[in-house]
Amino acid sequence: MGGTFDPIHYGHLLAAEEARINLGIDRLIFVPTGDPPYKRAQKIASAEDRYAMTLLATAGVTEYSVSRIEIDRTEETHTVDTLQEFIKSGINPEDLYFITGLDAMLSITSWYEFEKIPELCTLVTARRPGYSVRGIEKLPDFIKDKLKYIEIPQFAISSTEIRERIRNKRGIRFLVPHLVEIYIESNNLYLF
Ligand code: ATP
Ligand code: MG
């Protein structure tokens, strides 16, 4: 599962875990993005802070790990390159699933070399509050053919809202794992 994870929250964890259970995935890799050009203007936490929070959120769950693959890449990072690198490392495309929320999947046709993505993995997309599943109908057939849609308990939270709450001095307890909350506080993240 890729994401900016700025910061990681229970919406991400719930979507990832539901996908894992639904599809019988045995290893779940969280892939925080490097410095995505399209988010640069609003990006607040460094890649290292986002990576650290993702580690804290997933620590202790045997099936979970966090990859530095996009953070350590100096060039622009794209999902297609990351999938290709996982395949190069020995993972069979039939065994590779890319998990997103519905909002992300509905924008797939704007991703770099998106035409190649369905050959590299199965796409899994989880319902997300505020986005209609009917949007999937409009995606090209070659994407729909490799797409699995899953219904999950709806958790209407985003990283944007969490950052806003922190700026407005509202609490974020129960929206992110406790250790992530402590990390944000101790490092004075998202205050301005
Ligand atoms: P931002 O508000 O900064 O865009 P975000 O909450 O959307 O943050 P991202 O890091 O952009 O988080 O998303 C990573 C992935 O997690 C995307 O595929 C997104 O669709 C999915 N996702 C995020 N929040 C939820 C949620 N509440 N329910 C289901 N999927 C989610
Ligand atoms: Mg988002």
Side-chain angles (χ1 to χ4, degrees), residues 68-78 81-82 85:
R68 293 187 58 92
I69 191 168
E70 294 198 357
I71 288 177
D72 288 342
R73 206 181 289 145
T74 45
E75 321 88 81
E76 251 184 52
T77 64
H78 304 289
D81 305 318
T82 300
E85 284 203 38

Side-chain angles (χ1 to χ4, degrees), residues 52-143:
M53 291 187 281
T54 309
L55 273 182
L56 290 172
T58 56
V61 186
T62 330
E63 296 90 353
Y64 292 6
S65 60
V66 186
S67 166
R68 293 187 58 92
I69 191 168
E70 294 198 357
I71 288 177
D72 288 342
R73 206 181 289 145
T74 45
E75 321 88 81
E76 251 184 52
T77 64
H78 304 289
T79 297
V80 68
D81 305 318
T82 300
L83 293 169
Q84 263 156 355
E85 284 203 38
F86 279 126
I87 290 166
K88 242 186 262 164
S89 79
I91 300 176
N92 208 316
E94 280 87 72
D95 296 331
L96 188 58
Y97 295 83
F98 186 70
I99 304 166
T100 73
L102 187 53
D103 61 309
M105 186 54 57
L106 295 181
S107 73
I108 189 171
T109 54
S110 68
W111 301 359
Y112 178 74
E113 294 190 343
F114 75 94
E115 298 89 345
K116 292 187 183 162
I117 293 177
E119 293 158 24
L120 303 173
C121 66
T122 302
L123 294 159
V124 183
T125 196
R127 189 168 159 218
R128 185 168 187 185
Y131 295 87
S132 166
V133 64
R134 281 187 305 242
I136 290 181
E137 298 299 319
K138 299 190 188 109
L139 293 175
D141 283 342
F142 74 97
I143 289 175

Side-chain angles (χ1 to χ4, degrees), residues 1-16 33 38-39 42 50 98-105 111 124-129 131 152-163:
M1 182 175 193
T4 318
F5 303 133
D6 190 21
I8 189 161
H9 54 68
Y10 278 125
H12 297 128
L13 294 163
L14 189 64
T33 53
Y38 58 91
K39 277 206 170 174
Q42 44 169 293
R50 293 183 289 105
F98 186 70
I99 304 166
T100 73
L102 187 53
D103 61 309
M105 186 54 57
W111 301 359
V124 183
T125 196
R127 189 168 159 218
R128 185 168 187 185
Y131 295 87
I152 63 167
Q154 294 297 278
F155 195 57
I157 194 71
S158 67
S159 299
T160 302
E161 270 176 65
I162 289 171
R163 296 192 300 265

